[in-house]
Amino acid sequence: MDGDVAVGMKRGSDELNMYGSSPPMTANGSDNNKKQRLDESPPSRVLHIRKLPNEVSETEVIALGLPFGKVTNILMLKGKNQAFLELGTEEAAITMVNYYTAVTPQVRNTPVFIQYSNHKELKTDSALNQRAQAVLQAVSAVQDGSSPSSEPGVLDLAPPPSPVLRIIIDNMFYPVTLDVLQQIFSKFGTVMKIITFTKNNQFQALLQFSDPVNAQQAKLSLDGQNIYNSCCTLRIDFSKLVSLNVKYNNDKSRDYTRPDLPTGDEGSGNKDHNSLLGAINPLSAAAAAAAHAGRVALSGSGVSGVLLASNLNDEMVTPSSLFTLFGVYGDVQRVKILYNKKDSALIQLSDANQAQLAMSHLNGQKMFGKVMRVTLSKHQTVALPREGLDDQLLTKDFSGSPLHRFKKPGSKNFQNIFPPSATLHLSNIPEGVSEDDLRLLFSNVGASVKAFKFFQDHKMALIQMSAVEEAIQGLIEIHNYDMGANHHLKVSFSKSTI
């Protein structure tokens, strides 16, 4: 990462003044003083953003924070090209700073600096800050799924009409692949399907999220952004379609919920894409390499399938408990609890899509009494220790585990991925097991069961806890529990309530 565009976390009492005298600081801090200051700086849900371009709008600043959670306040210091952004929780702010430490934040193609503020909350004079408050109200209404009651003309934000976005790419001097789009857009939620095509000599895509609100946030943040420096500009609108029908999984279309789909005839699909690129600008290999090197890392460069989970309960967490919880969202291959920092662990999933899915669902959830933080790791794989060196059993290889949920192509599990919830779905229940047996099983691991409901054939059931945290613990402890007669109980989160 270049030193001049790193995210700094320096603080000082003169935070509201310009930082003219002090050089920008890289996220890792290059000298001891800086390191020391970094270690001391406590996180805050208020973030200080500086080096903003002139004439930047409130919407553009709010859009920086939207993917990470609810934005609760904003203060623009337009004369100083600075702003303060308050997020709903400290966890959201930490995730945002961590993300932008690895990926340079850009507003209007200009790198900006984000750091924790000394302020724990923003107190804004509503009369002076009226416009910003109106924009915030409109954005909040969209995030909550209601219709905004903001002033007319401040921001046009009706409730999102569809989870499907239509994406047109202008100035396409460098190839944009389906995988690049998936990486960029999955920062805002679960990307389910993508179809790419060429129309009127322009590369276009239709992209379906699992939720219209995610589509709205992606549109708000990414419309008008460049994927590569000074080219490949995203133009984003809602599609009239509310669902996409994907027939083939190849480099032109992909249904992430159906990995079993055939590839179709890929050869014929590439011709128009490549001839389109040739017609726009027959780039030499050197120019193409230069364009690639200058890529704006909206998507995070070389996104891996490895996650870093931190703020874990180091007395209770084990590689197996992380395997079970993260295994709800992907096939966990390896887990390593860090030797010198036992409240943190690296979790390697099968691919980047599963890692994104697990991160978006588990970041900020409570596990064993502590709010877990989940971010993408810089590591591409989790290394196994040499034989005999892992006496504390902190690293475990799960690559051959029979418990992977997503090994079978087209498995029903792909359609049943839901965020952690207080209600769990139980399946593979053997004959003769009663409601009382199952209630007792969950009570024994510390959960208070509020409601229970068998499905008709009694092989499946829903069981509701009093809190999401209890359900998470119940899933970790009870998934794959041996009920006898070769029946291992299967547990997952449900979208239903009883």
Side-chain angles (χ1 to χ4, degrees), residues 322-396:
L322 291 168
F323 166 77
T324 303
L325 180 58
F326 281 75
V328 173
Y329 301 103
D331 291 339
V332 175
Q333 303 299 310
R334 292 175 180 178
V335 178
K336 180 193 283 286
I337 293 172
L338 303 186
Y339 183 79
N340 294 325
K341 201 172 182 328
K342 292 195 173 66
D343 71 344
S344 300
L346 293 171
I347 299 126
Q348 181 181 337
L349 290 105
S350 289
D351 58 44
N353 191 45
Q354 292 183 358
Q356 288 274 4
L357 206 57
M359 179 173 77
S360 64
H361 285 309
L362 293 176
N363 181 44
Q365 295 289 351
K366 257 190 171 181
M367 177 185 181
F368 299 133
K370 295 190 76 176
V371 175
M372 173 169 57
R373 299 190 194 109
V374 184
T375 54
L376 290 170
S377 165
K378 293 190 288 280
H379 297 278
Q380 296 298 310
T381 56
V382 170
L384 292 172
R386 289 202 300 280
E387 235 174 289
L389 287 184
D390 187 21
D391 54 353
Q392 296 186 30
L393 304 176
L394 297 176
T395 306
K396 193 155 182 196

Side-chain angles (χ1 to χ4, degrees), residues 30 221 297 321 413 477 489:
S30 52
S221 286
S321 61
N413 292 337
E477 304 275 356
L489 196 61

Side-chain angles (χ1 to χ4, degrees), residues 33-110:
N33 281 351
K34 289 179 180 173
K35 272 209 170 91
Q36 204 173 352
R37 266 204 304 254
L38 253 178
D39 293 340
E40 286 167 6
S41 60
S44 159
R45 68 191 182 101
V46 179
L47 299 176
H48 183 205
I49 303 167
R50 53 197 185 87
K51 296 271 174 91
L52 287 163
N54 293 331
E55 303 309 313
V56 69
S57 70
E58 288 87 349
T59 313
E60 289 169 291
V61 176
I62 291 170
L64 285 170
L66 273 185
F68 305 95
K70 199 169 174 62
V71 176
T72 47
N73 209 344
I74 180 171
L75 175 63
M76 302 287 284
L77 305 175
K78 288 205 167 157
K80 294 181 172 173
N81 300 74
Q82 300 182 28
F84 288 91
L85 197 64
E86 178 188 277
L87 281 89
T89 64
E90 199 173 280
E91 283 73 40
I94 290 166
T95 306
M96 179 170 163
V97 168
N98 287 351
Y99 179 83
Y100 287 132
T101 302
V103 176
T104 306
Q106 302 247 344
V107 175
R108 297 196 182 184
N109 233 13
T110 309

Side-chain angles (χ1 to χ4, degrees), residues 160 162-165 185 188 207 209 211-220 236 238:
S162 159
V164 180
L165 295 175
F185 282 83
F188 297 87
L207 183 144
F209 279 101
D211 188 317
V213 171
N214 300 138
Q216 173 78 271
Q217 292 174 5
K219 179 179 182 297
L220 203 60
I236 304 171
F238 285 107

Side-chain angles (χ1 to χ4, degrees), residues 17-18 47-48 87 92 127 130 141 144 150 159 176 191 207 271 424 479 495:
N17 302 329
M18 282 298 276
L47 299 176
H48 183 205
L87 281 89
Q130 213 164 8
D144 298 339
S150 66
V176 172
V191 173
L207 183 144
K271 278 209 301 277
L424 296 171
H479 179 60
K495 64 175 178 185

Side-chain angles (χ1 to χ4, degrees), residues 108-365:
R108 297 196 182 184
N109 233 13
T110 309
V112 298
F113 292 73
I114 299 178
Q115 60 203 56
Y116 297 119
S117 163
N118 282 332
H119 304 283
K120 285 295 174 198
E121 63 176 310
L122 276 185
K123 293 185 175 67
T124 49
D125 181 332
S126 56
L128 290 174
N129 207 25
Q130 213 164 8
R131 182 190 152 82
Q133 293 305 314
V135 172
L136 201 58
Q137 192 187 353
V139 173
S140 300
V142 168
Q143 278 193 302
D144 298 339
S146 62
S147 62
S149 56
S150 66
E151 293 174 18
V154 172
L155 189 61
D156 177 23
L157 278 177
S162 159
V164 180
L165 295 175
R166 186 181 60 132
I167 302 153
I168 296 175
I169 298 182
D170 285 343
N171 309 324
M172 192 159 130
F173 300 142
Y174 188 75
V176 172
T177 63
L178 183 143
D179 291 323
V180 166
L181 291 175
Q182 191 272 335
Q183 283 179 15
I184 293 170
F185 282 83
S186 63
K187 196 178 99 182
F188 297 87
T190 305
V191 173
M192 297 179 76
K193 301 170 188 178
I194 305 177
I195 298 171
T196 63
F197 55 95
T198 302
K199 189 176 176 183
N200 304 335
N201 249 6
Q202 262 187 323
F203 178 71
Q204 302 194 16
L206 292 168
L207 183 144
Q208 182 179 340
F209 279 101
S210 56
D211 188 317
V213 171
N214 300 138
Q216 173 78 271
Q217 292 174 5
K219 179 179 182 297
L220 203 60
S221 286
L222 297 176
D223 188 26
Q225 293 267 17
N226 293 341
I227 300 177
Y228 302 102
N229 279 353
S230 312
C231 74
C232 302
T233 309
L234 292 162
R235 301 270 171 243
I236 304 171
D237 279 305
F238 285 107
S239 167
K240 291 187 174 66
L241 301 168
V242 289
S243 183
L244 299 179
N245 183 18
V246 174
K247 294 187 174 70
Y248 302 112
N249 280 344
N250 54 36
D251 60 353
K252 306 285 290 170
S253 61
R254 193 83 48 88
D255 183 338
Y256 293 97
T257 67
R258 297 273 319 275
D260 57 314
L261 287 177
T263 56
D265 182 12
E266 286 186 59
S268 62
N270 281 331
K271 278 209 301 277
D272 58 345
H273 189 161
N274 292 337
S275 63
L276 164 75
L277 289 169
I280 292 175
N281 187 357
L283 281 182
S284 67
H292 191 62
R295 187 141 155 227
V296 175
L298 260 173
S299 54
S301 44
V303 175
S304 78
V306 181
L307 297 172
L308 172 66
S310 55
N311 200 41
L312 301 170
N313 182 332
D314 55 5
E315 289 178 6
M316 306 215 19
V317 74
T318 61
S320 293
S321 61
L322 291 168
F323 166 77
T324 303
L325 180 58
F326 281 75
V328 173
Y329 301 103
D331 291 339
V332 175
Q333 303 299 310
R334 292 175 180 178
V335 178
K336 180 193 283 286
I337 293 172
L338 303 186
Y339 183 79
N340 294 325
K341 201 172 182 328
K342 292 195 173 66
D343 71 344
S344 300
L346 293 171
I347 299 126
Q348 181 181 337
L349 290 105
S350 289
D351 58 44
N353 191 45
Q354 292 183 358
Q356 288 274 4
L357 206 57
M359 179 173 77
S360 64
H361 285 309
L362 293 176
N363 181 44
Q365 295 289 351

